[in-house]
Amino acid sequence: MLALTENVTEIVKQLTSEVPEISALRIAAEPDGQGLSVSPADQAAAEDQVIEQDGATVYVDQTASALLDDKVLDGTVDAEGNIQFALGEKA
């Protein structure tokens, strides 16, 4: 299962507290299978894996879940407020 860093849980908690219609982030495989997208979500899709960690929720679609099983999601916010995500291998 995808693990979340403390940075990501804080980013998700801040987003969901500032925008009430967002309950989580959702990670989905792109239709071409060549990438992943991260977007705010109000609910999980029927076959999403739901990851709840330290008060943050991330939905992962079925295809992305298989790709991310051994990964860790990290994130940062730059000076302009842009969020950047990065994947790493679990230790």
Side-chain angles (χ1 to χ4, degrees), residues 1-3 27 36 60 63-72 87:
M1 177 186 298
L2 176 68
I27 301 173
L36 299 170
V60 184
T63 303
S65 180
L67 297 170
L68 300 175
D69 191 44
D70 62 344
K71 305 288 190 257
V72 176
L87 288 170

Side-chain angles (χ1 to χ4, degrees), residues 21-71:
E21 56 272 7
I22 297 173
S23 63
L25 287 183
R26 184 166 191 268
I27 301 173
E30 293 291 334
D32 64 6
Q34 299 299 309
L36 299 170
S37 64
V38 179
S39 59
D42 62 346
Q43 62 185 14
E47 296 190 12
D48 283 356
Q49 177 183 46
V50 178
I51 300 169
E52 295 177 320
Q53 185 176 314
D54 299 327
T57 304
V58 175
Y59 307 134
V60 184
D61 83 2
Q62 192 172 23
T63 303
S65 180
L67 297 170
L68 300 175
D69 191 44
D70 62 344
K71 305 288 190 257

